[in-house]
């Protein structure tokens, strides 16, 4: 039984799992059915967890247990009777957006769906903009 406890403690988020090659996948079982809704494959566990949260919210409503309750999806006027395909599309859209944020963050670390701001050395300079001098008194007017 100890092995089962270790595996549960490794799971940080509900509804996701890691593939052997490192990708994170999310899926959810449809209520009262044996079928599952595939929610996509992602680079980060946070992206997969947000995709799951989106799907579980549309399936079970505001009382659903979310991985990130502080980022609950906005209410869409009570859209509870969505098709599995529509739920899948909404979840994949959210997961892909979070995956893009996480991938562009410093080192792609997993600190939730908020993402990081890029470091100064990762920012891309605007090559069409005149550089600002370090010393405001040292302005070169020949530019």
């Amino acid at each position: 039984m100890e092995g089962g406890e270790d595996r549960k403690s490794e799971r940080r988020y509900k509804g996701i799992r890691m593939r052997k090659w490192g990708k994170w996948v999310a899926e959810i079982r449809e209520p009262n059915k044996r079928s599952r809704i595939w929610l996509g494959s992602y680079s980060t566990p946070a992206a997969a967890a947000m995709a799951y949260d989106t799907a579980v919210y549309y399936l079970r409503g505001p009382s659903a247990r979310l991985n990130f309750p502080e980022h609950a999806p906005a209410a869409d006027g009570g859209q509870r009777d969505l098709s599995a395909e529509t739920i899948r599309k909404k979840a994949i859209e959210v997961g892909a957006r979070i995956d893009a944020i996480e991938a562009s963050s410093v080192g792609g670390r997993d600190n939730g769906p908020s993402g990081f701001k890029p470091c100064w050395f990762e920012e891309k300079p605007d090559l069409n903009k005149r550089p600002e001098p370090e010393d405001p008194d040292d302005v070169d007017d020949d530019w």
Side-chain angles (χ1 to χ4, degrees):
M1 282 200 207
E2 290 178 21
E5 289 177 21
D6 290 341
R7 292 189 79 192
K8 282 184 183 179
S9 67
E10 285 178 3
R11 283 192 180 172
R12 187 168 166 186
Y13 302 118
K14 183 171 175 41
I16 70 168
R17 60 188 159 84
M18 187 173 155
R19 297 268 193 205
K20 292 177 188 175
W21 49 89
K23 287 282 191 176
W24 293 89
V25 297
E27 61 185 354
I28 189 168
R29 189 175 301 279
E30 290 185 76
N32 304 320
K33 295 183 180 178
R34 297 186 73 188
S35 59
R36 295 176 184 254
I37 302 173
W38 178 253
L39 304 175
S41 179
Y42 304 96
S43 300
T44 63
M50 283 297 291
Y52 173 84
D53 280 2
T54 302
V56 77
Y57 181 83
Y58 284 114
L59 286 171
R60 298 194 173 90
S63 62
R65 294 180 63 193
L66 306 174
N67 292 306
F68 300 107
E70 66 277 9
H71 297 288
D76 286 357
Q79 288 185 342
R80 290 262 316 192
D81 296 328
L82 298 176
S83 69
E85 184 62 24
T86 303
I87 290 171
R88 185 180 75 79
K89 285 180 182 178
K90 286 181 178 276
I92 288 173
E93 180 183 312
V94 170
R97 190 175 335 120
I98 298 301
D99 218 10
I101 290 169
E102 293 288 321
S104 68
S105 70
V106 178
R109 289 184 236 158
D110 174 40
N111 279 2
S114 60
F116 291 102
K117 291 184 179 178
C119 290
W120 64 270
F121 55 84
E122 289 184 332
E123 294 178 7
K124 294 184 179 172
D126 183 0
L127 300 176
N128 296 319
K129 185 178 176 185
R130 183 177 176 179
E132 296 178 19
E134 292 181 19
D135 183 11
D137 296 329
D138 185 28
V139 177
D140 184 14
D141 290 330
D142 293 338
W143 196 174

